[in-house]
Amino acid sequence: MKIAVCLSHVPDTTTRIKIGSQSDQIDYTGVQWVINPWDELALTRALELKELPGSGVDEVVVVNVGDSIADPVIRKALAIGADRAVRVNTAPSDSLSVARILAAFFATERFDLILAGLESSDYNGGMTGMLLGGVLGYRTLNGISALNLEAGKLKLSREMDGSRQILVVEPPLVAVVQKGIAIVPRIPSMRGVMQARTKPLQVVDPVKVEAGLTTIGYSYPKPKGACRMVAPGNENELIALLKTEARVL
Amino acid sequence: MSIALYIQGRNRSYTPHQSGWVAFASSFAKSADSRLTLITQGLPPDKAAQLGGFGADEVMVVDGMPPVSDLHNSIEALFPLFKEKGKTFILFGNDTHSKALAALIAARLEFGIVTGVGALPESFSPLVLTRKAFSGKVLTSTLVGKPGVVLVFNAGVGEAVAGISSPVIAELHLNGNSDEGIVVDSEETGDGKQLLTDALRVVSGGRGMKGPENWKPLEELASVLGAALACSRPVSDEGWRSHHEHVGQTGKVIAPELYVACGISGAIQHVAGINGSKVIVAINKDKEAPIFEVADYGIVGDVNTVLPSLIKALKE
């Protein structure tokens, strides 16, 4: 069995996001790039599965859509334990375009299981994984919070709003995963970092897609008004404010 | 122009967020000078009609659908309906099932897709939408280049007023195929417990609670308020509470009317999960804690003394 993990590179969550002088782009100067948090959990689970005795998982491959800015992040994924990496060489745009670019790659190399994170922490769109499944025509499920292998099939839990199903699914499958698939992401070992230097990172050309959406401008949200402080001991006052001013009680 | 909104019922009824989506879709349709068709699944006709009364012009009550885990066949079954009723806009809420259908229908129709929609468009022609990105740090304006678009609404949008429209109701039985490659092994339903993502009030605890043994006052406050319980990431990572209660960037993203953060410092990852809340109350002993930058009301004090007096005051 071959597992692919779709991997986005994103600015570290604590990074300040600066809008460029033309306000039609983000100024990424000095930004620290990291593996998208959900993709890191997906990679962690893929590696855990591969290491199970008799798992039948031959390979875990990370697949990125990005320019060379993503390379250090991809190397980190290799250091964590992925066997090899593929980078489709283009800056990612809207989710449907990325999904089409990924689908074109997955048409050239077949995987039994493709994992994608719930969303990327930059644009928070949360659609690429499902769109990929839709374009590729594979079985596709979102809300996946646990994943196991069982006699060549995939046993997973799907968290719906209000219910949880345990499903047994025949590959190939695109699974959009969330917290629970793994709890704490793996970090690279020293040995992993050394090995990552020589693991294959294949760069492939993207197919041409026409972007349907364009980001035409950025702005900062209005600053929130000051927090109204209530002295401890005056909890009655807080309740009165919530009733009469905020009207939420 | 035609606009369709899809809603899947919950336990054969609907949630406040869902009625908000109908109301919001209705103002959307009015601004676009169009009719709104509500497509429901998993709702009896009387409930679907009630839900449609929040602003739809027409309700299509669908049954006979493939199982919810069989997403491709679900889309196959719904496809003709979406194609006819959602020529310009197909709208969804942001629950897990709706998001899945939103993506698959967009892929199928080659529609653009924009999620995280919490406001009416800046303009309809050309279509420009504003949404939050980078976990709320910036706003982006997105231009949709060609007609035909799928939108996913945030939770907490819309001012729901019951009975403001009297929609035409039609029942429709769809016959979907089903995929034998997906077998439901077992299913747990939420035994009627309030869901964190549905809750209009949420009480949440952080590391400042000092340990799982100190959750009693939070449980009591939640019960007095009729609120759901949540926690910050360190709390679930330490195993003090289940990770199902984790709200924040990598946990659940929620948008209640009232969020009470107790002993939570307000790291940016946490704020990313709660900044859609209408009103945030923070209780923290550190007056410099970043949670006070996003809170509307705050008490600087020890949760162990503030919570009991808050509960006492609420009970009076």
Side-chain angles (χ1 to χ4, degrees), chain A residues 11-19 26 28 37-38 41 95-96 100 118-119 121-127 130-131 133-135 137-143 145 155 158-170 178-181 183-185 210 212-222 224-236 238-239 241-243 245-249, chain B residues 8 10 68-72 95-97 99-104 106-107 110-115 128 131-146 149 152 179-190 195 197-198 201 225 233 236-237 243-244 246 249-251 257-258 268-269 277-281 292-301 305-306 309-310 313-314 316:
Chain A
D12 184 272
T13 310
T14 54
T15 306
R16 201 172 82 86
I17 298 299
K18 212 167 89 200
I19 299 170
I26 299 291
Y28 287 115
W38 292 273
L41 294 174
S95 51
L96 185 55
R100 282 183 178 148
L118 169 72
E119 65 177 42
S121 65
D122 48 7
Y123 285 87
N124 314 113
M127 283 293 138
M130 285 303 305
L131 287 166
V135 177
Y138 283 10
R139 292 192 175 99
T140 309
L141 290 163
N142 63 344
S145 64
K155 189 167 185 178
R158 181 170 189 233
E159 307 272 341
M160 308 272 294
D161 300 73
S163 67
R164 176 194 304 161
Q165 291 187 323
I166 309 296
L167 303 168
V168 179
V169 182
E170 275 177 41
Q178 61 193 45
K179 193 174 181 192
I181 186 92
I183 303 294
V184 181
E210 196 189 332
L213 307 177
T214 325
T215 302
I216 52 170
Y218 293 89
S219 58
Y220 295 109
K222 285 202 191 83
K224 192 156 180 171
C227 178
R228 179 147 182 185
M229 303 309 283
V230 174
N234 287 0
E235 285 76 14
N236 275 320
L238 175 64
I239 292 165
L241 286 168
L242 292 176
K243 279 186 179 154
E245 190 179 81
R247 294 165 186 250
V248 287
L249 285 186
Chain B
Q8 186 198 32
R10 187 83 53 76
V68 286
S69 53
D70 188 353
L71 292 164
H72 281 292
D95 54 286
T96 303
H97 189 65
K99 282 198 292 188
L101 295 183
L104 293 179
E110 303 199 349
F111 274 21
I113 181 163
V114 182
T115 62
V128 178
R131 63 186 293 278
K132 289 180 188 171
F134 296 91
S135 304
K137 286 187 230 176
V138 295
L139 301 172
T140 67
S141 295
T142 304
L143 170 71
V144 182
K146 62 179 174 71
V149 59
V152 179
D179 178 354
E180 284 164 13
I182 302 177
V183 176
V184 180
D185 195 62
S186 64
E187 178 160 12
E188 285 169 36
T189 46
L195 282 182
T197 42
D198 287 346
R201 295 173 183 174
L225 287 172
R233 177 169 168 174
S236 66
D237 281 359
H243 70 81
H244 296 294
H246 165 201
Q249 189 189 37
T250 50
E257 288 181 353
L258 174 64
I268 188 138
Q269 291 89 340
S277 308
K278 280 210 175 81
V279 172
I280 298 174
V281 173
F292 291 117
E293 288 165 27
V294 295
D296 300 279
Y297 299 96
I299 296 183
V300 178
T305 56
V306 173
S309 38
L310 185 59
L314 273 167
E316 278 165 8

